[in-house]
Amino acid sequence: MYRIAVIPGDGTGPEVVAEGLKVLEATAKKYKFEYETKGFDFSGARYLKTGKTVDDNDVAELKKYSAIYLGAVGHPDVKPGILEAGVLLKLRFALDQYINLRPVKLYNSAFCPLKDKNPEDIDFVVVRENSEGLYKGLGEFQNKGTKDEVAIQVSYNTRKGVERCIRCAFEFCRKRNKRKKLTLCGKTNVLTFAWDLWQRTFNEVAKDYPDIKTDYAHVDATTMWFVKNPEWFDVIVTDNMFGDIITDLGAMIQGGMGIAAGGNINPEGISMFEPIGGSAPKYTGQHVINPLAAICAVGMMLESLGEEKAGKAVENAVITVAQTKLKSLAAGKMGYSTEEVGDLVVKEIK
Ligand code: IPM
Ligand code: MN
């Protein structure tokens, strides 16, 4: 019996989560597993009412669950940074979800903005470090508000943190068993402390994985290759900030935010799955947002729970719908409403 904590969140989060849960229900029937869900209202609306985000009691409660399914955080009336730090980053850090796994997979050439690229060319995974780096929030102001102001923002990288992330990336690359190539994406030519540690650790860990080819690309060059030669990549490992940036570009080459999902993974604990797009306030309540990313997140969640067949079935259903039904993956242009797209996926699963 799986216990799924559901955080619909803000904006279109609840709409896409509803479709994901519909697909989860159909999948559970077909693949015969049992689960229960409980909703948690960690949202901008709740923050505006109560001033609360996620506290340590909430975290303790969430630890009783098998996985977390998240819609989106972000509210137009809440100052940027509060919900991000108070909900999303709080959960990632407090639950030590130190890997952010973001598959970049093109399901239909028609949805790719790149010329002459096909599904076999765009099929890689970014393993983003999810607990350190610039996201650690270390730094300070000096002489704040004066003409001599200095703002310092520190990238914090521990040997243990870097090594566990790199090790996971090698393991994942081996398990994925495709091209068996792991690319370290960094900036060794300028950020000579952080990326020296990353490079040394990468080289050392690589010795334990002689079956995996290794490669290095600077982050700026990586963005160029994403556009020019995405077929070069199999698995990419990078730090928190670079991972954040390159996975938005990754989402675009796979067809847009409407299809991009990710997992915040604690391999030894509780993981959280989410569509990587935001709360899209302007589409809220219009029934036009694409739920496929949220549905893909359900697929990833099932795989991580050990329901690999069910997870694959969800992905395959999404592929079929994306290939044979939708006119576009963009909000308002799919040719179907949010609910209809959910129904199409459910029909494929049955
Ligand atoms: C993401 C988002 C978050 C991040 C924000 C909302 C804090 O952009 O999941 O990629 O920067 O990690
Ligand atoms: Mn991001």
Side-chain angles (χ1 to χ4, degrees):
M1 173 72 125
Y2 302 114
R3 303 185 69 208
I4 314 291
V6 181
I7 306 173
D10 294 305
T12 52
E15 295 170 48
V16 297
V17 158
E19 300 314 305
L21 292 177
K22 237 157 66 176
V23 171
L24 179 62
E25 191 185 337
T27 312
K29 277 210 189 93
K30 171 103 182 241
Y31 293 90
K32 305 205 184 327
F33 61 85
E34 284 187 63
Y35 72 97
E36 61 184 24
T37 60
K38 184 169 175 217
F40 290 84
D41 178 25
F42 303 135
S43 64
R46 173 176 173 266
Y47 172 76
L48 288 171
K49 254 190 275 154
T50 65
K52 284 190 190 150
T53 51
V54 170
D55 63 26
D56 293 337
N57 290 330
D58 299 326
V59 171
E61 177 63 22
L62 286 170
K63 283 189 177 160
K64 299 177 189 157
Y65 287 78
S66 328
I68 303 170
Y69 183 40
L70 172 76
V73 295
H75 193 290
D77 301 336
V78 180
K79 196 175 138 213
I82 294 180
L83 298 172
E84 289 82 351
V87 180
L88 187 59
L89 299 181
K90 169 82 185 186
L91 291 171
R92 286 178 183 170
F93 290 157
L95 296 168
D96 202 19
Q97 294 163 339
Y98 59 88
I99 299 291
N100 196 324
L101 197 65
R102 297 194 162 176
V104 177
K105 197 164 173 182
L106 177 65
Y107 292 138
N108 181 344
S109 318
F111 302 147
C112 184
L114 306 178
K115 193 152 59 82
D116 302 330
K117 295 296 177 190
N118 297 307
E120 60 274 18
D121 300 317
I122 301 179
D123 182 4
F124 60 89
V125 177
V126 177
V127 176
R128 165 186 173 187
E129 203 290 323
N130 211 33
S131 66
E132 300 192 336
L134 282 166
Y135 279 68
K136 193 85 180 169
L138 289 179
E140 63 176 3
F141 292 112
Q142 289 168 359
N143 307 319
K144 192 172 181 186
T146 73
K147 62 180 184 342
D148 293 319
E149 178 160 355
V150 181
I152 300 172
Q153 192 94 44
V154 175
S155 176
Y156 179 89
N157 300 266
T158 65
R159 166 71 198 215
K160 284 190 182 125
V162 169
E163 181 167 342
R164 67 181 181 173
C165 173
I166 289 175
R167 231 171 242 293
C168 261
F170 273 105
E171 287 292 333
F172 181 78
C173 189
R174 180 181 272 170
K175 181 157 169 256
R176 177 172 149 91
N177 199 19
K178 285 205 169 156
R179 302 194 23 236
K180 294 200 149 191
K181 176 176 156 189
L182 181 63
T183 303
L184 177 68
C185 163
K187 193 71 186 174
T188 53
N189 54 347
V190 176
L191 306 179
T192 49
F193 298 110
W195 288 97
D196 188 82
L197 172 61
W198 274 82
Q199 179 88 73
R200 269 185 287 120
T201 309
F202 185 76
N203 294 346
E204 279 168 38
V205 175
K207 291 185 193 136
D208 295 339
Y209 298 88
D211 51 321
I212 308 291
K213 291 183 281 297
T214 56
D215 195 10
Y216 171 83
H218 292 318
V219 61
D220 48 346
T222 301
T223 62
M224 173 178 74
W225 302 130
F226 271 21
V227 172
K228 199 167 177 287
N229 298 100
E231 64 277 7
W232 286 0
F233 295 109
D234 178 22
V235 180
I236 297 170
V237 63
T238 190
D239 79 355
N240 211 338
M241 187 78 256
F242 292 167
D244 177 48
I245 297 167
I246 67 172
T247 54
D248 267 26
L249 180 56
M252 283 302 128
I253 64 171
Q254 73 180 123
M257 286 298 176
I259 193 88
N264 300 278
I265 312 280
N266 176 342
E268 298 89 34
I270 296 139
S271 300
M272 174 166 75
F273 299 85
E274 54 172 343
I276 81 169
S279 55
K282 73 173 180 184
Y283 296 121
T284 305
Q286 309 209 356
H287 310 274
V288 295
I289 197 80
N290 187 344
L292 288 183
I295 294 171
C296 287
V298 166
M300 290 182 76
M301 178 168 75
L302 289 173
E303 286 207 32
S304 104
L305 289 171
E307 297 293 335
E308 305 213 340
K309 256 173 121 181
K312 265 265 151 275
V314 171
E315 189 188 5
N316 288 334
V318 168
I319 294 177
T320 305
V321 170
Q323 286 182 345
T324 63
K325 305 280 185 195
L326 300 199
K327 282 202 279 203
S328 161
L329 296 175
K333 300 186 179 142
M334 300 185 289
Y336 297 91
S337 70
T338 303
E339 293 75 9
E340 285 168 340
V341 174
D343 291 340
L344 288 170
V345 176
V346 165
K347 222 166 114 197
E348 281 308 318
I349 299 228
K350 286 180 175 163

